[in-house]
Structure formats: structure tokens, C-alpha cells
Amino acid sequence: MIQVNGLSKEFEDRKRGMIRAVDNITFEVKKGEIFGLLGTNGAGKTTTLRMLASIFKPTTGTANVAGFDVLKESEEVRRHIGFLSGDTKLYQRLTAKEVLKYYGGLYELDSKTVDDRIEELSNLFELHDFEHKKIAKLSTGQRQRVSIARSIIHKPQLMIFDEPTAGLDPISARHIKDFIRRSREEGRTILFSTHILHEAESLCDRIAIIHKGTIGVCGDLQHIFNETSTKNIEEAFFKVVENLEDESLVRPLG
Amino acid sequence: MKKFRSASVGLIYRKELLDIVRDRRTLVSMILIPLLIFPIIFMGFSSLAMKQMEKLESKNYAVGVKNAENWIEISSPLKDMEQLTILEVGEPVDTLRSRVADGILKAAVIFPDARMRSGDGHESPEIIMYLDESSEESQIVARKIREKLREMKDTLISRSLREINVSESILTPFALSEENVATEEQMTGMILGMLLPYMMIILTLTGGMYPAMDLAAGEKERSTLETLLVTPVGRMEIVLGKFFTVLTTSLVTAMMSLLSMALVIGFGLTSIMSSEATGMSFSINPLYLLLALAMMIPLAALFSSLLLTVSVFAKSTREAQSYSSPLLVVTILPAMMSMLPGATLTSKEVWIPIVNIALAMKDILAGQPDFGNIMIVLLATTIYAFFGIFVTMKVFQKENVLFRV
């Protein structure tokens, strides 16, 4: 579903000069699996996911997402993925229904399809009680449900989540995790990033540990334990991070 | 090359307009302020100015007079003048002078010492008046005294002429009478031409200012921009949808100000600047008014693109605000060109942004449009607007600008 090949991203930073936020990463997400990108803040998770969602242009390397090239067919990439992050908030002055209708239109669904889909999603996420309320008036949990509905209004087969549970209370976070599991049951592929170790452990079929823009290890839990000769995710994580830290000291800069 | 979808632009445009209209702040800056600005300026200010004038005209002012006893026939009529309290003083001239400077006396009139008469072969005696031109009150008093003395001069001349049996008509070998051939339309146009272009240019800018901030910097601030960017819609379509929204609010603001102006002229202004008071009434060729309004469209487009660019660049609406203010300052000066007396549109100014619009509108409203030049102005401004939109799109493509936080 996703093939990432030697993907890098450099940013110009006024203070620090050129920064390599993502450095030559390669991995694959298979159809129907939940794949986790695990790393600390600033590890390059968001940059990676934005490149895969074709919001950022990679500096070098390629990626194929849902059968489309992120550089050459960026529009088709976006049409075929559902993207949800802490930075994909909803317009406060629109009602829940207006928001869903708007995004349905942006995905170029005809209005009959949008109406049917809104009905379907409203039943699924119990939006009916507040569908005519403005987003500003909704509770965090209600907003979360509208947000999820927004991200799958166009029935994407691939979902990309960027730290979907960050800053959420346990109940809202639970909603998201349930939604991720249900997505897999319904045959969707999920790529998500997190810095919460047990979240990755409990949800993911496979995990890539990313640090300083580089992937240290990638595979299912057993593979990760074997590679790092550890017995739990926490130990594994810190071992990978330490290795990458040492490497970055040795590696010439620039 | 990616295909361009006008349906998406329309969808974004309708949504942004709905979003903007639901915001009370936009409604205030788009409708309320432009509607109220002319009534406030005209009625509020002019009635205030008139009240102030009345107050000045009804006050009593102290005027110092020296050596009046030598010139009874001239000085005594001064004492009979309303509003003036004449104080005969014996102090030195310098003291009187400083009294006027200090504002204790509003003016001082110094008659010559010796009694001298003109026409006796001597030089004309000199009467000195001290006044303070920096004080409005002193100016009023001086004007009154000046008029009175001129009147006295005429009386004295008439008397002298009578004494030697010469007809007074010798003083007026011919009479001059003037007649204003300008039509009411031209007079209206001249006054409107000075003020309206300036006001409309400024309001066109300020009308788009708030929505532009809200639609770009506001989206960043509220983290809704990424939600939009992950949809298949292209950046160009997003920019155009937003651009047309800003353009609409900007033009609505300009229209509202025009409507407000029309209302003021229709009802309010006539009571203050009635035909009796100024010798004119207000009327204007509606076709020219329409042409003047048409000039605003490319200008509003240029402003909208500039405001959007600035707003896209800003991290927050607060930052967008501080970036937009210099834009206002930069606009005010060229917009004021319409208020310069004698300034008209020539081939030199047709390519200078804002200045060309201000002068073209002035000429149109004055009823003297040079259609050749006006076409060039429209063309020039349209080119600038297109360039502006191009820049907005370029900026909107830049990841480091869009995701600057």
C-alpha cells in the first residue's frame, strides 16, 4: 500500500542552516496492516507523514502511496488517503453537517453521494444530536467524532494518522484507537505515528522506530526484540535511540 | 500539468464567504463602518465645526486701542462694534504688542500720534494693527476690525470727494460682475472628486483586510489549513477561492461606502450645504459614478492579492495585522493625490499604482474623463492585480511559508 524508497527532506532554518529532518528512509506498509512510526518529538515523524500525504515535497527519494507517486500524482495520492492529525482541525463557524458537506465536495463527490455518506457516518458516530451545531459549540469528544467522519468521508482505503491521540483525554484517545482497530477490520490500511510506546505495542502489526530522521529498526514486535536483543518495547526503543545517537556522532555532518 | 477545477474554486469561495459572514467582526468592517463613515464625517464633523464657529462668533473679545483720541472719527465706530470690548490704553506700544502675543488682547490698534490728514501733501498716516495669526480668535477679531476700517476709508474718501464736488462714480470707472458657468453636476463632481477617490481607495483596502487575515493567517492559527491541504484540491484553487472571497468583501465595502455617500448627499448634506449656503445642489451623472466604481474592481483585486500574500506569510492573525498596517500607510499617500488641487490624470501617472486610480476617479467624477488614459489605468491595474495573484500563488506553494509556526 505504501512503498517508501530513500526518502529525505531538508529544511532551511534561519538559525541553524540546512536541517535534514528525514534522512534516507526506506520502509513498506502492507495492505490491511496497522503500521506504526514510533519516535520522540522532532524525530521526523510528522515530516515523513506529510511527505506521504503529498503536502511536503521530498528533497530526494520516492514514495508510492495507494498506487500513486507522491511527486507526480500528488492529487491522486490525496484523493485516496484519509489524513488525521492534531493539526487537521475543523472550521469553528460551520456546523458539523456543513463541515462534512464541504469536505465531501472537496473530494469531488456528488451531492447525493455526500448526503448518503453523511447519513451513514452520522449513524456510525452518533452525530445526529449535534449535526446542526457549530463546531465551536461542540465538546472535544464530539469534535473528535466529526473529525474522524471528515477523514473518511471519501471512503479511503489507506489512513494516515499523525499522533492522533496527542493531547486527548483518555476517553477521546480510546475513540481514536477503537477507530483504528475498526478500520483494519474493515480492510483499510493504517499508517500512524506516535511517541507513546504502549500505544504502538498494543495497536501495531509492525513498527518502525525513527530517531533523528533515520529508521533504526522496522518489523513486527518479535523482529524488533530479536534485532535489539531486548524483551520489551521500552528497552528496544532506547537501545535503537542510543545506537542512532552514536551513529550520528560518527557520521560526518552535511 | 494538473487540471484546474473551477467547481472547487466555487465551493471554497462559497464556504469562505459563509464563514466570513458568520463572523461579527467582518460584518462590522465590511458593512457597518463604511455605511457610517460618511454620515459621521459630514454631519458630525461639519455640524461640530459650525457649532464651534458660532461659539467663536458670539464671544466677546478685548481689543487694545492707543491714541484713539486723535482719531475720533475713525476710532469711535470701532467702539460701537459688537463682540469687541475696546480698551483705550496708554501703555507703550511694545507692551501692547506682547499683550496680543500673550492672548490677553485679541488685537491691538495703534493710531499715529500727531493728527495728520492725507491729501495735504503729507504721507498717509499709518495705523498699525497687532494680531496673532496662530489664534483663530485673533483672526476673527482682526477680520472684523479690518472690515470696519475699510468701511471708514470709503466714507472718508466719499466725504473728501463731495467737498471738492467730484462724483463718487470716479472711484468705479467700470463694474465687474462674475457668473459661474459650471453646472451643478460639475460642482458636485469637483467636490466628490476630491474626497470620494481617497475614501473609496482606503475603504477598499480596509474592507479586505480582516477577511484576508482570517482566511490565511487565521487558518494557520486555528490549525485548519492542513485539513484543507490534505484534500485533492490544488493550491491554486485554494488561493483563488480565498482571493475571490477577499475581493468580494473588499468590493462590498467600497459599494457600502458609495451607498453611504449617496444617502448623505440625498438627505443629510443638503441641510448643511444647501443651495442657499453654497450656491449649488448635488447631482451626478450615474454613468460616471458607475465608471468610477468599475475602476475599483482591478484595484480591489490588487489589494486582495497583496493582503492575502501578507496574511499567508504571517504565523498568526496578530502578525498579519502588523504586516498589513504598513500597507495602509503606503496606500494613504498615493490615494491622497485626488485631494491635491489641480492634479489630473496625465500620461505620466497612468502606470503609477493607486495614484492612477485616484486621479482617474477624480477626473471621472469631475465630468472630465480622458477615456484613452482611463483605459490604460484599467489595463495597468489589471496587470498589477494578475501579478499580485501570481505572487500569492507562489507564496502559497512554499512549504516553509505555509508551515511557518
Side-chain angles (χ1 to χ4, degrees):
Chain A
M1 207 62 177
I2 299 179
Q3 289 90 35
V4 181
N5 206 338
L7 211 57
S8 295
K9 180 71 182 175
E10 286 176 358
F11 288 109
E12 175 91 47
D13 188 288
R14 225 175 282 165
K15 283 175 210 136
R16 293 179 290 171
M18 277 308 226
I19 294 175
R20 198 158 253 244
V22 173
D23 191 2
N24 193 23
I25 58 167
T26 300
F27 65 92
E28 187 188 356
V29 179
K30 293 184 188 119
K31 195 172 177 355
E33 75 174 345
I34 299 179
F35 187 94
L37 210 52
L38 182 63
T40 55
N41 293 333
K45 303 190 296 286
T46 297
T47 307
T48 304
L49 297 189
R50 278 180 179 168
M51 280 193 281
L52 296 181
S54 79
I55 307 172
F56 278 173
K57 281 197 177 71
T59 310
T60 54
T62 57
N64 189 294
V65 175
F68 301 97
D69 187 279
V70 286
L71 266 174
K72 294 185 199 114
E73 299 158 300
S74 60
E75 192 185 306
E76 288 308 311
V77 167
R78 293 198 297 273
R79 195 188 304 281
H80 288 86
I81 60 169
F83 190 92
L84 193 67
S85 83
D87 283 323
T88 52
K89 294 200 177 125
L90 305 173
Y91 295 107
Q92 305 257 327
R93 294 191 284 259
L94 299 190
T95 68
K97 196 161 186 171
E98 282 166 347
V99 162
L100 294 178
K101 246 188 143 65
Y102 180 50
Y103 284 98
L106 291 178
Y107 283 100
E108 291 179 276
L109 308 176
D110 62 69
S111 67
K112 170 86 174 62
T113 313
V114 174
D115 288 342
D116 290 350
R117 186 70 179 142
I118 290 174
E119 185 58 30
E120 197 182 324
L121 291 168
S122 296
N123 289 332
L124 191 62
F125 297 108
E126 294 161 26
L127 309 179
H128 284 298
D129 292 344
F130 52 86
E131 62 182 8
H132 294 298
K133 268 194 184 172
K134 293 202 181 125
I135 298 296
K137 298 254 155 66
L138 302 185
S139 70
T140 317
Q142 289 171 331
R143 259 181 235 185
Q144 197 64 48
R145 275 139 73 192
V146 182
S147 247
I148 293 172
R150 189 278 303 160
S151 74
I152 55 169
I153 187 97
H154 54 302
K155 293 191 176 172
Q157 283 311 296
L158 171 66
M159 297 294 303
I160 297 178
F161 295 92
D162 186 16
E163 305 220 11
T165 57
L168 294 184
D169 62 72
I171 298 172
S172 302
R174 181 69 178 267
H175 278 299
I176 296 279
K177 282 184 265 187
D178 287 347
F179 173 65
I180 290 174
R181 284 201 191 90
R182 184 155 66 203
S183 289
R184 178 177 52 188
E185 280 158 27
E186 286 164 4
R188 282 195 280 268
T189 308
I190 292 104
L191 166 62
F192 88 100
S193 74
T194 183
H195 63 265
I196 303 165
L197 300 174
H198 70 83
E199 198 172 275
E201 188 177 23
S202 66
L203 276 172
C204 297
D205 298 309
R206 290 194 311 134
I207 295 170
I209 296 177
I210 183 168
H211 188 68
K212 291 201 163 170
T214 311
I215 289 180
V217 64
C218 177
D220 58 28
L221 277 177
Q222 201 50 56
H223 175 80
I224 289 175
F225 294 155
N226 291 343
E227 281 285 303
T228 55
S229 33
T230 52
K231 286 193 192 66
N232 64 57
I233 188 78
E234 195 170 340
E235 277 176 38
F237 181 77
F238 285 111
K239 193 140 189 187
V240 170
V241 166
E242 273 163 31
N243 283 343
L244 289 173
E245 285 283 349
D246 294 345
E247 250 178 68
S248 73
L249 286 177
V250 176
R251 209 169 27 166
L253 289 171
Chain B
M1 201 55 211
K2 277 172 257 173
K3 62 182 186 293
F4 172 74
R5 289 153 300 193
S6 53
S8 301
V9 176
L11 183 68
I12 293 173
Y13 172 73
R14 284 194 303 277
K15 177 262 154 190
E16 301 292 21
L17 216 54
L18 176 71
D19 205 336
I20 282 288
V21 166
R22 283 196 182 154
D23 187 2
R24 212 180 302 128
R25 284 172 293 182
T26 321
L27 289 181
V28 169
S29 76
M30 186 164 77
I31 294 175
L32 209 63
I33 291 176
L35 262 184
L36 292 180
I37 196 156
F38 283 108
I40 287 170
I41 287 180
F42 275 107
M43 301 203 246
F45 185 75
S46 59
S47 72
L48 205 73
M50 274 168 68
K51 268 204 193 106
Q52 191 62 23
M53 212 53 192
E54 275 169 27
K55 216 165 104 191
L56 290 176
E57 297 278 355
S58 61
K59 253 168 103 173
N60 244 300
Y61 302 106
V63 175
V65 174
K66 192 174 163 70
N67 300 331
E69 66 282 2
N70 297 340
W71 298 82
I72 303 283
E73 53 190 318
I74 304 174
S75 63
S76 66
L78 287 182
K79 290 179 194 165
D80 300 335
M81 285 173 72
E82 280 171 25
Q83 282 189 265
L84 300 190
T85 309
I86 303 293
L87 306 166
E88 286 189 50
V89 286
E91 289 166 316
V93 173
D94 282 346
T95 318
L96 272 175
R97 196 179 183 282
S98 59
R99 289 268 159 85
V100 175
D102 295 342
I104 299 166
L105 296 174
K106 294 303 162 197
V109 183
I110 321 289
F111 290 94
D113 285 340
R115 190 182 165 82
M116 297 183 291
R117 263 222 181 275
S118 64
D120 296 355
H122 299 288
E123 278 180 44
S124 301
E126 193 184 25
I127 299 171
I128 299 166
M129 176 163 69
Y130 290 119
L131 72 155
D132 177 2
E133 291 238 37
S134 69
S135 142
E136 274 178 75
E137 292 184 334
S138 180
Q139 278 186 33
I140 290 172
V141 170
R143 195 169 59 230
K144 283 175 186 289
I145 293 173
R146 215 178 282 128
E147 272 167 26
K148 199 68 190 176
L149 289 178
R150 193 170 294 138
E151 213 176 277
M152 292 313 299
K153 187 172 94 183
D154 289 346
T155 317
L156 288 177
I157 292 171
S158 307
R159 207 171 61 195
S160 301
L161 287 174
R162 266 201 310 278
E163 277 171 14
I164 56 167
N165 275 324
V166 176
S167 162
E168 272 179 58
S169 64
I170 194 171
L171 291 176
T172 46
F174 57 84
L176 174 67
S177 67
E178 295 176 10
E179 198 186 320
N180 186 358
V181 296
T183 60
E184 285 174 1
E185 262 180 34
Q186 284 171 309
M187 292 303 291
T188 311
M190 194 194 76
I191 291 174
L192 282 187
M194 301 255 269
L195 201 71
L196 200 58
Y198 172 74
M199 295 307 296
M200 283 190 64
I201 289 171
I202 298 301
L203 283 167
T204 302
L205 181 68
T206 53
M209 206 173 259
Y210 183 73
M213 282 178 210
D214 197 57
L215 292 189
E219 285 230 33
K220 278 193 200 177
E221 198 170 68
R222 294 187 293 267
S223 297
T224 52
L225 187 61
E226 200 168 332
T227 325
L228 189 58
L229 295 177
V230 294
T231 66
V233 182
R235 306 250 166 116
M236 194 160 96
E237 288 137 14
I238 296 175
V239 168
L240 285 180
K242 286 176 182 293
F243 164 76
F244 284 122
T245 313
V246 178
L247 180 65
T248 304
T249 60
S250 167
L251 284 175
V252 167
T253 310
M255 296 272 247
M256 285 294 154
S257 67
L258 204 67
L259 181 71
S260 153
M261 185 87 184
L263 288 178
V264 168
I265 290 169
F267 303 111
L269 209 62
T270 39
S271 65
I272 299 160
M273 301 178 77
S274 63
S275 335
E276 289 155 58
T278 58
M280 64 176 139
S281 67
F282 281 90
S283 61
I284 190 157
N285 183 343
L287 227 66
Y288 279 175
L289 204 59
L290 225 61
L291 184 60
L293 198 65
M295 308 290 298
M296 299 316 290
I297 296 173
L299 184 72
L302 174 62
F303 282 160
S304 302
S305 64
L306 287 178
L307 287 169
L308 255 187
T309 307
V310 159
S311 177
V312 170
F313 200 77
K315 286 180 228 163
S316 62
T317 46
R318 192 179 289 261
E319 202 181 298
Q321 215 154 7
S322 48
Y323 289 159
S324 303
S325 325
L327 211 57
L328 185 62
V329 177
V330 168
T331 305
I332 284 176
L333 209 65
M336 281 196 337
M337 283 298 284
S338 68
M339 301 218 237
L340 272 189
T344 57
L345 183 69
T346 69
S347 53
K348 272 185 230 154
E349 290 99 8
V350 287
W351 292 98
I352 308 175
I354 305 173
V355 171
N356 57 5
I357 294 282
L359 293 178
M361 275 181 80
K362 181 185 178 181
D363 288 357
I364 292 169
L365 292 170
Q368 298 153 337
D370 173 341
F371 288 104
N373 277 344
I374 283 171
M375 282 305 135
I376 300 177
V377 170
L378 279 173
L379 179 74
T381 313
T382 308
I383 292 171
Y384 299 149
F386 268 102
F387 182 70
I389 299 163
F390 178 75
V391 170
T392 316
M393 283 181 181
K394 279 280 155 213
V395 171
F396 211 78
Q397 295 286 350
K398 287 192 171 292
E399 292 164 8
N400 55 348
V401 172
L402 275 190
F403 290 89
R404 221 163 66 97
V405 278

